[in-house]
Short mmCIF file of all heavy atoms in Angstrom, two decimals:
data_model
loop_
_atom_site.label_atom_id
_atom_site.label_comp_id
_atom_site.label_asym_id
_atom_site.label_seq_id
_atom_site.Cartn_x
_atom_site.Cartn_y
_atom_site.Cartn_z
N HIS A 36 -9.61 7.50 -2.26
CA HIS A 36 -9.35 8.92 -2.42
C HIS A 36 -9.94 9.79 -1.41
O HIS A 36 -11.08 9.50 -1.00
CB HIS A 36 -9.85 9.32 -3.85
CG HIS A 36 -9.87 10.84 -4.05
ND1 HIS A 36 -11.02 11.58 -4.04
CD2 HIS A 36 -8.83 11.72 -4.16
CE1 HIS A 36 -10.71 12.83 -4.21
NE2 HIS A 36 -9.38 12.97 -4.28
N GLU A 37 -9.14 10.64 -0.85
CA GLU A 37 -9.71 11.68 0.02
C GLU A 37 -9.12 13.05 -0.27
O GLU A 37 -7.95 13.11 -0.78
CB GLU A 37 -9.50 11.30 1.45
CG GLU A 37 -8.13 11.40 2.02
CD GLU A 37 -7.97 11.08 3.48
OE1 GLU A 37 -8.52 11.83 4.31
OE2 GLU A 37 -7.31 10.03 3.79
N ARG A 38 -9.91 14.09 -0.07
CA ARG A 38 -9.36 15.43 -0.32
C ARG A 38 -9.29 16.11 1.04
O ARG A 38 -10.23 16.11 1.77
CB ARG A 38 -10.33 16.19 -1.23
CG ARG A 38 -9.74 17.65 -1.45
CD ARG A 38 -10.44 18.28 -2.59
NE ARG A 38 -9.94 17.70 -3.85
CZ ARG A 38 -10.57 17.78 -5.02
NH1 ARG A 38 -11.65 18.47 -5.12
NH2 ARG A 38 -10.02 17.14 -6.07
N VAL A 39 -8.09 16.61 1.37
CA VAL A 39 -7.87 17.34 2.61
C VAL A 39 -7.53 18.76 2.25
O VAL A 39 -6.65 19.03 1.39
CB VAL A 39 -6.83 16.76 3.51
CG1 VAL A 39 -7.36 15.37 4.02
CG2 VAL A 39 -5.54 16.55 2.87
N GLN A 40 -8.11 19.75 2.92
CA GLN A 40 -7.82 21.19 2.68
C GLN A 40 -6.40 21.46 3.11
O GLN A 40 -5.87 20.90 4.12
CB GLN A 40 -8.78 22.06 3.48
CG GLN A 40 -10.21 21.98 2.96
CD GLN A 40 -10.34 22.30 1.47
OE1 GLN A 40 -9.92 23.29 1.04
NE2 GLN A 40 -10.89 21.36 0.70
N ASN A 41 -5.73 22.34 2.38
CA ASN A 41 -4.40 22.79 2.75
C ASN A 41 -4.49 23.55 4.05
O ASN A 41 -5.18 24.53 4.15
CB ASN A 41 -3.87 23.68 1.63
CG ASN A 41 -2.39 24.14 1.99
OD1 ASN A 41 -1.89 24.05 3.05
ND2 ASN A 41 -1.81 24.74 0.90
N PRO A 42 -3.83 23.08 5.12
CA PRO A 42 -3.89 23.69 6.44
C PRO A 42 -3.11 24.99 6.58
O PRO A 42 -3.16 25.69 7.57
CB PRO A 42 -3.34 22.62 7.38
CG PRO A 42 -2.44 21.88 6.56
CD PRO A 42 -2.97 21.86 5.15
N GLY A 43 -2.43 25.35 5.51
CA GLY A 43 -1.66 26.62 5.54
C GLY A 43 -0.22 26.38 5.20
O GLY A 43 0.34 25.25 5.36
N HIS A 44 0.40 27.36 4.53
CA HIS A 44 1.74 27.34 4.07
C HIS A 44 2.65 27.98 5.06
O HIS A 44 2.84 29.20 5.02
CB HIS A 44 1.83 27.95 2.68
CG HIS A 44 3.14 27.84 1.95
ND1 HIS A 44 3.91 26.74 2.03
CD2 HIS A 44 3.79 28.81 1.25
CE1 HIS A 44 4.98 26.92 1.33
NE2 HIS A 44 5.05 28.16 0.89
N THR A 45 3.30 27.17 5.92
CA THR A 45 4.37 27.72 6.78
C THR A 45 5.60 26.91 6.52
O THR A 45 5.48 25.64 6.35
CB THR A 45 3.87 27.46 8.26
OG1 THR A 45 2.62 28.05 8.43
CG2 THR A 45 4.98 28.05 9.23
N THR A 46 6.72 27.54 6.47
CA THR A 46 7.96 26.82 6.06
C THR A 46 8.13 25.52 6.89
O THR A 46 8.11 25.60 8.15
CB THR A 46 9.14 27.77 6.25
OG1 THR A 46 9.01 28.90 5.45
CG2 THR A 46 10.45 27.10 5.85
N GLY A 47 8.28 24.43 6.19
CA GLY A 47 8.63 23.23 6.84
C GLY A 47 7.40 22.37 7.38
O GLY A 47 7.52 21.25 7.73
N PHE A 48 6.22 22.99 7.39
CA PHE A 48 5.08 22.38 7.96
C PHE A 48 4.45 21.32 7.09
O PHE A 48 4.22 20.10 7.53
CB PHE A 48 4.00 23.38 8.35
CG PHE A 48 2.63 22.71 8.81
CD1 PHE A 48 2.61 22.08 10.08
CD2 PHE A 48 1.58 22.65 8.01
CE1 PHE A 48 1.44 21.51 10.50
CE2 PHE A 48 0.39 22.07 8.39
CZ PHE A 48 0.35 21.51 9.67
N LEU A 49 4.27 21.57 5.80
CA LEU A 49 3.54 20.68 4.91
C LEU A 49 4.27 19.29 4.73
O LEU A 49 3.64 18.22 4.70
CB LEU A 49 3.27 21.28 3.56
CG LEU A 49 2.16 22.42 3.69
CD1 LEU A 49 2.04 23.09 2.36
CD2 LEU A 49 0.84 21.81 4.08
N PRO A 50 5.60 19.26 4.65
CA PRO A 50 6.29 17.96 4.54
C PRO A 50 5.96 17.09 5.72
O PRO A 50 5.72 15.86 5.62
CB PRO A 50 7.73 18.26 4.45
CG PRO A 50 7.73 19.59 3.81
CD PRO A 50 6.56 20.35 4.36
N VAL A 51 5.97 17.66 6.90
CA VAL A 51 5.67 16.91 8.17
C VAL A 51 4.22 16.53 8.16
O VAL A 51 3.93 15.35 8.43
CB VAL A 51 5.97 17.78 9.41
CG1 VAL A 51 5.52 17.09 10.68
CG2 VAL A 51 7.48 18.07 9.51
N TYR A 52 3.30 17.38 7.81
CA TYR A 52 1.88 17.12 7.77
C TYR A 52 1.55 16.00 6.79
O TYR A 52 0.86 15.01 7.22
CB TYR A 52 1.14 18.39 7.35
CG TYR A 52 -0.38 18.29 7.15
CD1 TYR A 52 -1.18 18.21 8.28
CD2 TYR A 52 -0.87 18.31 5.91
CE1 TYR A 52 -2.62 18.11 8.10
CE2 TYR A 52 -2.26 18.20 5.66
CZ TYR A 52 -3.16 18.12 6.77
OH TYR A 52 -4.39 18.01 6.64
N LEU A 53 2.10 15.99 5.60
CA LEU A 53 1.80 14.92 4.68
C LEU A 53 2.46 13.62 5.06
O LEU A 53 1.90 12.55 4.81
CB LEU A 53 2.22 15.42 3.19
CG LEU A 53 1.37 16.53 2.69
CD1 LEU A 53 1.97 17.03 1.41
CD2 LEU A 53 -0.09 16.04 2.45
N LYS A 54 3.68 13.72 5.58
CA LYS A 54 4.32 12.50 6.18
C LYS A 54 3.42 11.77 7.20
O LYS A 54 3.27 10.63 7.21
CB LYS A 54 5.70 12.82 6.69
CG LYS A 54 6.51 11.59 7.18
CD LYS A 54 6.88 10.59 6.09
CE LYS A 54 7.74 9.55 6.56
NZ LYS A 54 8.25 8.70 5.47
#
Side-chain angles (χ1 to χ4, degrees):
H36 167 250
E37 72 178 292
R38 179 167 290 163
V39 294
Q40 295 302 305
N41 183 345
H44 183 42
T45 305
T46 303
F48 174 73
L49 291 173
V51 173
Y52 176 74
L53 292 171
K54 181 68 172 185

